[in-house]
Structure formats: structure tokens, C-alpha cells
Amino acid sequence: MRKDIIKNKINEIVQSLDLVIENMPDTFDKFNESGIIKDGIYKRIEYSIENLIDIFYIFNSDFNLGIPSDDTDLINNLKAKNIISEDIALRIRNLKDFRNIVVYGYGEIDNRMAYDFIKTNLDDFYMIIKSIESVIDQN
């Protein structure tokens, strides 16, 4: 297993999340008016989600689970082989769906929904990271 690569990606995720937490305005109105800070928060969240998905692709490859057709198939593969739990699969699906909104609908993002989502789901990143660390510790 490519533990060093995975650990580096985890470190990048944590650094990004630290920046998000450090710069996240405490109210929606401040967030909505924050301009480039808001854009940076979106970018760091997107980057963190991409790194989580990259780690899952590494797991898929290292456990020889075949070639997934897309991210959903990837998550289903890992869950089916009990590499991740149903709870973690659900959390990464939610993050992936949010990433798709940020990436593909950037000009039309509902900032209220995004603010609430980020504030509510930051802990999901840490739960997924713990799950990832558990997998690499066992292998």
C-alpha cells in the first residue's frame, strides 16, 4: 500500500481544513460578503474532497478492486469490500455531491446552502480521515 502518498494527502487535507476553519466567517452575511475569502474556502473544500477521492482511488488500485467507471462506482467498490463502512460511504458521497456543485455550478452556487453545508459537514472530513488511517494501519 502506498502509505506515504496517502499520509501526504491527509496532511494536505488537514492543512486546507485548518485554513478553512481559520478563515470561515462566523455568520452567513460575513461569508456572503467575503469575496475572495469565500472563493478560497470553496477552493480548499474542493481540494480536500478531491484528495479524499484520490485516496479512495489508491485504495481501489492497491486492493486490486478493478477499474471503477466513476467516483460512485469507486465508493461502492470500497464499501462492498468492507474497506469503508456505509456511514463513511454516505459521508463521502455527500461531500462528492457538494464538490460537483462547486466545480460545475460555481457561478450559480447558493451561498447560503454552501455556508450551511460547510459548517455542518467539516467534521465529516475528520471522520473519513480516521477511517482512512484505520485502513492504512491495518495494512
Side-chain angles (χ1 to χ4, degrees):
M1 177 167 297
R2 294 172 275 174
K3 292 181 182 183
D4 289 340
I5 293 171
I6 294 169
K7 288 178 182 179
N8 285 337
K9 287 189 171 292
I10 289 171
N11 286 335
E12 291 173 3
I13 294 166
V14 170
Q15 289 173 0
S16 286
L17 295 176
D18 287 347
L19 285 171
V20 167
I21 292 166
E22 185 178 309
N23 290 284
M24 187 69 155
D26 56 352
T27 67
F28 168 71
D29 289 334
K30 289 178 185 175
F31 176 76
N32 200 38
E33 297 170 359
S34 65
I36 197 150
I37 291 173
K38 176 178 59 186
D39 294 344
I41 289 169
Y42 284 145
K43 201 62 176 165
R44 288 296 181 154
I45 291 293
E46 173 193 342
Y47 180 69
S48 295
I49 296 166
E50 287 292 336
N51 270 318
L52 288 174
I53 293 170
D54 288 349
I55 291 168
F56 284 177
Y57 273 104
I58 291 169
F59 282 172
N60 191 82
S61 174
D62 289 358
F63 288 112
N64 298 312
L65 302 181
I67 300 172
S69 59
D70 58 20
D71 295 345
T72 300
D73 191 33
L74 166 72
I75 294 164
N76 292 338
N77 282 350
L78 296 174
K79 190 209 159 291
K81 298 296 183 182
N82 294 315
I83 296 166
I84 61 172
S85 68
E86 178 61 42
D87 180 57
I88 295 300
L90 178 63
R91 290 173 193 277
I92 193 65
R93 282 185 199 112
N94 288 339
L95 291 176
K96 179 186 73 73
D97 290 346
F98 180 74
R99 184 238 15 217
N100 289 344
I101 291 168
V102 171
V103 172
Y104 302 116
Y106 194 71
E108 302 172 20
I109 292 176
D110 178 337
N111 288 320
R112 166 62 79 181
M113 182 277 305
Y115 177 80
D116 291 342
F117 183 89
I118 293 167
K119 291 287 262 189
T120 303
N121 293 289
L122 274 176
D123 286 343
D124 288 356
F125 286 95
Y126 298 103
M127 293 176 83
I128 294 167
I129 287 169
K130 281 186 119 172
S131 175
I132 290 167
E133 290 173 334
S134 176
V135 171
I136 63 175
D137 287 347
Q138 294 173 10
N139 292 285

